[in-house]
Amino acid sequence: MSKSTNHPFEELLAAYSAGSLPLSQALCVSAHLEHCESCGQKLARLNRVGSELMQQLKPARASDELKNRMLDSLDSLTVDDIPPQHSVSANPSVPRCLNQFIDRGYDDLPWKRVSADIQSVELCRDSNGAKVELLKIKPGGSATTHTHLGDEYTVILEGSFSDEAGVYREGDFMVRGTGDQHTPVATQDRECICLAVTEGPVQFTGLFSRMLNPLIRRNYV
Amino acid sequence: MSSMTKRATPGDKLVALSACLARVANDRDKSAFAELFDHYAPQIRAYSLAREPGSDLVADDLVQEVMTRVWLKAASYNPGLANLNTWIFTLARNCRIDYLRRNSRYATEIDPTDMFNEMEDEGPDPFQLAQQSRVEESIREGLKQLPREQSEILTKVYLEGKSHQQASDELKLPLGTVKSRVRLALKKLEVLVVR
């Protein structure tokens, strides 16, 4: 395990442990956890908090019917009754949580050109509309300065990059909020591959607040 | 002499239940499984009802999903990674995530199966068992002493499955306050100290 220096905030890790984090963000936390022993230890304790809270609930009696049905079914249960785990990718730098999208490694993905320095491939969308993608920055390449409409979650899977705030290495996790401006530059020695989750721009649907939408698109709110 | 009988502590109960799980793993012992069911099914139902009050069918489904995994995965469960209570919590959480994903109004292709560790052998480095039970005790005691507003927020996030934003809407508190209450609670519980 490499030693990452940028970690998810504590409350984000707690939401992951509670299972209340959107799955797209949970993917990023999960990818980070494969690199980070200290967050793994924190998570084990956060799970313990969940377990204690669950035990403090007033038990809700289960019917005899349910129990008998369960006991009668035991002999016929097979591994097909629970979701299968995905096979391991050929590339060890692909985190386990991404095996569902990446069969053979990064090279075989349908990369699309974003700029001279950057390629991207969309992996999926979350139910909240967030986009989950991989970004590949060529050695020494730069992502043009950009701001965000929603939060952007990034985990470095391979290589490293730096921006105004510092240097980020394999396993590092970062969140850039609305309006944060940054210019990531990949290091010279190799290309950098990141997992990036971007939340869609917020759209208000209320009668009054709909008038805010043009402002949001221009980044005023 | 019943007043002289020592009351079983949560620790004693856990030892007995862990022995049941070992019998399920090694001997496919159905009566041991029934004991596990008697203890955990009401907890799992309560956990489900905390999120969806009144939905008894959903609660029964969750019991079936979790207990099916207990039967099938008993042999791969690694007690060095989490005690039995915590394993059951993570299974219930994972099954609930999967249920919500399958029944969500907005579909997503993200499959949570490989995202949440189920405390099986291939997991991260185990920690010391001795230290585990001490941490357990301190978390249990700490939860009793949390100010109400902090335990309320943990209940929302962990049991009712609310996002920080949803908790902020329901409690009519700024998002930042919700996050800082979670952080304060975790600090009091000493969850985040890595030794």
Side-chain angles (χ1 to χ4, degrees):
Chain A
M1 263 185 206
S2 60
K3 281 224 160 53
S4 43
T5 49
N6 292 278
H7 309 275
F9 289 128
E10 294 152 358
E11 64 273 16
L12 198 71
L13 207 54
Y16 173 87
S17 158
S20 57
L21 201 61
L23 287 177
S24 50
Q25 294 174 31
L27 271 177
C28 294
V29 174
S30 185
H32 172 75
L33 283 166
E34 290 188 30
H35 286 274
C36 183
E37 202 176 322
S38 72
C39 284
Q41 289 192 18
K42 286 177 182 176
L43 180 69
R45 274 179 231 191
L46 288 165
N47 289 341
R48 195 85 36 93
V49 172
S51 149
E52 284 298 327
L53 287 165
M54 183 164 145
Q55 288 170 66
Q56 287 178 7
L57 285 168
K58 188 167 169 284
R61 214 185 75 81
S63 66
D64 292 340
E65 196 267 56
L66 178 62
K67 181 177 172 181
N68 292 331
R69 188 149 42 97
M70 189 79 231
L71 287 171
D72 288 344
S73 72
L74 292 181
D75 285 330
S76 60
L77 291 179
T78 69
V79 286
D80 295 334
D81 292 307
I82 53 180
Q85 305 212 316
H86 293 85
S87 55
V88 174
S89 162
N91 183 336
S93 91
V94 177
R96 213 168 75 106
C97 62
L98 295 181
N99 286 342
Q100 54 183 308
F101 307 110
I102 304 170
D103 288 334
R104 277 175 299 182
Y106 301 120
D107 291 342
D108 290 331
L109 294 169
W111 293 98
K112 290 203 172 77
R113 183 179 183 276
V114 177
S115 71
D117 289 350
I118 302 176
Q119 293 181 295
S120 78
V121 56
E122 181 172 322
L123 300 180
C124 64
R125 294 268 176 173
D126 197 353
S127 53
N128 63 6
K131 181 163 74 171
V132 180
E133 62 186 343
L134 294 183
L135 298 176
K136 183 158 75 176
I137 315 175
K138 75 175 195 189
S142 148
T144 44
T145 305
H146 61 284
T147 56
H148 304 123
L149 289 182
D151 286 345
E152 183 185 76
Y153 297 77
T154 310
V155 182
I156 300 192
L157 305 177
E158 245 184 47
S160 57
F161 74 70
S162 58
D163 71 3
E164 291 83 346
V167 182
Y168 307 91
R169 299 183 179 81
E170 229 167 84
D172 276 356
F173 178 103
M174 65 223 91
V175 185
R176 291 283 175 268
T178 311
D180 281 356
Q181 233 187 41
H182 70 136
T183 318
V185 180
T187 46
Q188 292 292 342
D189 54 329
R190 60 184 297 194
E191 64 184 16
C192 176
I193 296 178
C194 308
L195 171 65
V197 169
T198 337
E199 299 189 320
V202 188
Q203 289 285 337
F204 289 110
T205 49
L207 190 59
F208 163 74
S209 50
R210 213 179 298 158
M211 293 187 293
L212 293 171
N213 279 332
L215 299 176
I216 290 185
R217 277 183 223 118
R218 291 187 202 112
N219 238 353
Y220 288 120
V221 181
Chain B
M1 294 294 280
S2 63
S3 63
M4 296 290 286
T5 315
K6 205 173 148 235
R7 247 188 106 202
T9 66
D12 297 339
K13 183 73 191 170
L14 186 57
V15 169
L17 291 166
S18 301
C20 287
L21 188 74
R23 273 155 58 207
V24 170
N26 301 328
D27 312 325
R28 306 270 75 191
D29 183 330
K30 287 181 191 165
S31 68
F33 181 84
E35 277 185 59
L36 291 170
F37 185 96
D38 288 339
H39 182 79
Y40 287 113
Q43 271 185 23
I44 297 164
R45 292 190 84 253
Y47 173 70
S48 180
L49 291 166
R51 189 176 195 285
E52 298 194 48
S55 296
D56 284 297
L57 286 177
V58 174
D60 284 356
D61 276 353
L62 191 70
V63 169
Q64 273 194 302
E65 291 284 329
V66 174
M67 294 310 290
T68 296
R69 282 161 177 74
V70 169
W71 180 253
L72 294 173
K73 293 178 161 227
S76 60
Y77 157 68
N78 179 347
L81 292 176
N83 76 25
L84 181 54
N85 288 334
T86 306
W87 187 49
I88 299 288
F89 165 73
T90 57
L91 289 179
R93 174 200 66 194
N94 296 356
C95 290
R96 185 157 90 174
I97 292 170
D98 202 42
Y99 170 84
L100 290 170
R101 177 183 75 110
R102 282 183 283 114
N103 293 282
S104 163
R105 271 192 299 157
Y106 308 100
T108 175
E109 307 132 65
I110 303 174
D111 181 350
T113 312
D114 292 328
M115 291 168 54
F116 295 89
N117 192 332
E118 298 207 327
M119 311 304 166
E120 290 163 41
D121 281 333
E122 77 261 41
D125 303 336
F127 4 139
Q128 316 288 307
L129 271 171
Q131 196 186 322
Q132 258 197 47
S133 64
R134 218 167 31 129
V135 171
E136 182 115 321
E137 188 58 34
S138 81
I139 288 175
R140 188 176 305 132
E141 285 308 307
L143 279 172
K144 285 185 201 154
Q145 287 158 23
L146 281 187
R148 204 185 62 85
E149 79 233 24
Q150 288 173 19
S151 58
E152 176 184 59
I153 207 82
L154 289 184
T155 300
K156 286 242 174 275
V157 171
Y158 271 96
L159 301 177
E160 297 175 23
K162 299 279 159 53
S163 68
H164 293 146
Q165 186 61 55
Q166 289 166 323
S168 134
D169 293 343
E170 280 186 23
L171 299 169
K172 298 188 172 50
L173 289 168
L175 188 58
T177 308
V178 168
K179 291 183 181 180
S180 71
R181 280 188 189 172
V182 172
R183 229 174 299 148
L184 279 172
L186 297 177
K187 199 171 168 209
K188 283 226 176 76
L189 297 176
E190 293 184 26
V191 172
L192 302 165
V193 190
V194 174
R195 295 181 176 91

